[in-house]
């Protein structure tokens, strides 16, 4: 545990002593690093710190997660079990549900969930609980960094007062910052270590210490002037994606009405070497970030009497996409003299994006629900998701074979996992509604293929 340094009564000396001691501990890896919340964000981060030579204490409230990690098993796709096993065996990494272990830490990163409430307002209960835990176990000589995506002002308005209540002096004996996580689950190129990390502290000293901590295990650290700037960076990034996905989804609807192939338009526009960035339409947005994060900003701005119109509009268009897809399916079935009611529909891919198992906020769930409400019999196949539970109901996937395909009145590609043989699908299915352009390069097949948005020719062919 860090020793409490004496200020000797000189202003600034206390701060310099604590800061220098912490920086020195980070430099020579004597600093013990705590990670609170060992999920998609926290576990990869914990592994990076351990890999960089720190002793890492992972704290999570979920006993199963902790037990499995201590047994060398990873529950996060991007973190191989061998990495966990190696760091547990070497003593570099320990997972615990005992919050008092956090007292041994010199640095703590918090990566707990930030969902939305039923009314789509920020649900800060996890951040509040983690703040309580960290504050209760804090001591002078600590750097504390919030990583959970949240509204601008959280670090200063929620964490700082709680830590000060415990007697911590922010910027003097305790260093507090925000650093957004940018992990992209399943991305083979960009991961925690090589994705630049933005860090913004409550004071300049806070930024300096937090930046030094991350520089020890992440290739590029980008300091910004305040915690609020760092909080807003993450919200800008994800709002940018939500708005552009909303735009391209609207473009798909436009193309559909005009009888133009949206994929052809996007591919051709993307040949422009400047001033255009490729986004692709789909059945809606999913995951823990894009559908949720912009609402943290919208909520905060509502408290300041400002309406974030781009966020609201993009959210409206993106959340209507499952309805649009279901109307496509209904029209396509109608062309086959069938109604949705009583039809067998096979959904291909239910994870929220390609080649991952995460189905949080997946638009596939909405597509399924809407079809079932209209009386369809819905099965699904997803090589990454054997079964799932939602609202107390569980559903298991079916195998993907000729018999299943032939039995379906419509096959709907919602998520285009790369391991699926789409030629086999098109060769045996009767009707394929393709929301992801997964079938564009197939040889002529038995199935009539209906794209998300395209020329009427292919729709009618
Ligand atoms: N998943 C992503 O791709 C991603 C990317 C960037 C940012 N983020 C953000 O990072 C944050 C964490 O997201 P995640 O996807 O890692 O969540 P997650 O659900 O995968 O993991 C969160 C972990 O925190 C634990 N937890 C909950 N309350 C706790 C508490 N009080 N103390 C200790 N542990 C607690 C849970 O048991 C869980 O293991 C969120 O704010 C999210 O928006 C996520």
């Amino acid at each position: 545990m860090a020793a409490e340094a004496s200020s000797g009564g000189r202003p600034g000396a206390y701060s310099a002593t604590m800061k220098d001691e912490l920086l020195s501990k980070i430099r020579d890896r004597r600093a013990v690093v705590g990670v609170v919340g060992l999920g998609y964000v926290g576990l990869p981060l914990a592994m990076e710190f351990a890999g960089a030579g720190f002793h890492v204490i992972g704290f999570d409230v979920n006993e199963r997660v902790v037990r499995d990690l201590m047994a060398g098993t990873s529950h996060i796709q991007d973190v191989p079990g061998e990495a966990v096993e190696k760091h547990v065996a070497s003593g570099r990494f320990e997972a615990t549900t005992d919050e008092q272990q956090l007292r041994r830490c010199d640095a703590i990163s918090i990566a707990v969930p930030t969902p939305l409430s039923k009314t789509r307002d920020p649900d800060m209960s996890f951040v509040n609980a983690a703040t309580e835990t960290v504050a209760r176990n804090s001591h002078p000589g600590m750097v504390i960094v919030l990583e959970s995506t949240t509204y601008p002002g959280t670090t200063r308005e929620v964490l700082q007062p709680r830590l000060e209540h415990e007697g911590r002096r922010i910027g003097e004996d305790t260093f507090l910052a925000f650093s957004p996580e940018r992990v992209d689950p399943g991305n083979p190129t960009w991961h925690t270590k090589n994705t630049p990390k933005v860090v913004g502290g409550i004071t300049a000293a806070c930024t300096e210490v937090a930046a030094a901590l991350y520089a020890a295990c992440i290739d590029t650290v980008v300091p910004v002037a305040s915690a609020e700037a760092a909080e807003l960076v993450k919200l800008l990034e994800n709002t940018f994606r939500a708005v552009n996905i909303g735009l391209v989804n609207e473009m798909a609807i436009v193309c559909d009405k005009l009888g133009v192939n949206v994929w052809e338009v996007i591919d051709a526009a993307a040949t422009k070497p400047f001033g255009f960035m490729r986004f692709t339409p789909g059945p809606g947005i999913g995951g823990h970030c894009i559908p949720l994060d912009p609402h943290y900003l919208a909520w905060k701005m509502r408290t300041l009497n400002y309406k974030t119109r781009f966020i609201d509009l993009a959210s409206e268009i993106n959340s209507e996409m499952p309805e649009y897809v279901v109307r496509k399916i209904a029209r396509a079935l109608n062309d086959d003299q069938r109604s949705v009611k009583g039809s067998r529909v096979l959904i291909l891919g239910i994870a929220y994006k390609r080649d991952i198992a995460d189905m949080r906020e997946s638009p596939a769930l909405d597509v399924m629900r809407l079809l079932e409400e209209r009386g369809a019999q819905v099965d699904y196949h997803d090589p990454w998701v054997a079964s799932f539970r939602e609202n107390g109901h569980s559903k298991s996937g079916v195998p993907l074979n000729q018999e299943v395909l032939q039995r379906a009145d419509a096959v709907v590609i919602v998520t285009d996992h790369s391991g699926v043989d789409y030629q086999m699908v098109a060769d045996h299915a009767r009707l394929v509604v393709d929301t992801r352009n997964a079938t564009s390069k197939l040889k002529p097949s038995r199935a009539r293929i209906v794209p998300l948005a395209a020329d009427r020719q292919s729709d009618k062919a």
Side-chain angles (χ1 to χ4, degrees), residues 35-44 59-62 65 75-76 110-115 125-131 133 147-150 180-185 234 238 287-289 292-293 296 352 358 360:
V35 176
V36 173
L38 298 170
Y40 285 89
V41 169
L43 187 61
F59 169 74
D60 202 291
V61 290
N62 186 324
V65 164
H75 60 300
I76 300 295
I110 303 171
V112 294
T114 43
S125 58
F126 298 94
V127 170
N128 290 338
T131 302
T133 305
E147 295 230 355
S148 301
T149 307
T150 182
E181 182 46 62
R182 290 166 154 173
V183 70
D184 180 20
K234 176 72 185 179
N238 282 359
H288 196 313
C289 292
L292 310 190
D293 299 352
Y296 272 72
Y352 83 84
D358 191 348
R360 291 179 292 182

Side-chain angles (χ1 to χ4, degrees), residues 5 19 33 45 114 116 136 138 152 154 157 167 178 333 366 368 374 442 446:
K19 191 181 84 178
V33 178
L45 184 67
T114 43
L116 292 176
R136 273 198 300 269
S138 65
T154 305
E157 293 160 15
F178 183 83
L333 283 168
D366 289 323
M368 273 183 168
R374 286 162 177 72
L442 299 186
R446 170 186 185 233

Side-chain angles (χ1 to χ4, degrees), residues 395-457:
K395 206 169 176 100
S396 297
V398 297
L400 189 64
N401 55 36
Q402 296 183 15
E403 191 194 329
V404 166
L405 289 165
Q406 280 161 3
R407 211 173 45 209
D409 297 305
V411 176
V412 186
I413 302 172
V414 175
T415 302
D416 53 342
H417 292 304
S418 56
V420 171
D421 181 350
Y422 294 103
Q423 187 66 56
M424 194 271 279
V425 171
D427 284 343
H428 298 284
R430 185 178 312 150
L431 166 68
V432 175
V433 178
D434 180 4
T435 70
R436 300 282 193 176
N437 204 27
T439 55
S440 64
K441 298 201 167 64
L442 299 186
K443 295 196 292 280
S445 57
R446 170 186 185 233
R448 180 166 66 96
I449 300 200
V450 175
L452 180 74
D455 52 284
R456 294 279 142 222
Q457 296 315 316

Side-chain angles (χ1 to χ4, degrees), residues 204-280:
C206 294
T207 307
E208 187 185 344
V209 179
L213 174 70
Y214 286 108
C217 72
I218 285 169
D219 295 347
T220 310
V221 171
V222 184
V224 292
S226 64
E228 288 75 10
E231 288 161 338
L232 206 43
V233 166
K234 176 72 185 179
L235 296 178
L236 170 62
E237 290 166 9
N238 282 359
T239 300
F240 172 83
R241 284 194 64 75
V243 167
N244 280 288
I245 294 169
L247 173 66
V248 82
N249 276 336
E250 183 162 72
M251 197 51 71
I253 296 169
V254 165
C255 283
D256 198 53
K257 288 193 180 294
L258 293 174
V260 176
N261 184 331
V262 66
W263 307 103
E264 188 181 13
V265 173
I266 294 167
D267 286 345
T271 61
K272 185 179 177 184
F274 48 88
F276 182 81
M277 187 178 284
R278 185 190 167 88
F279 282 84
T280 49

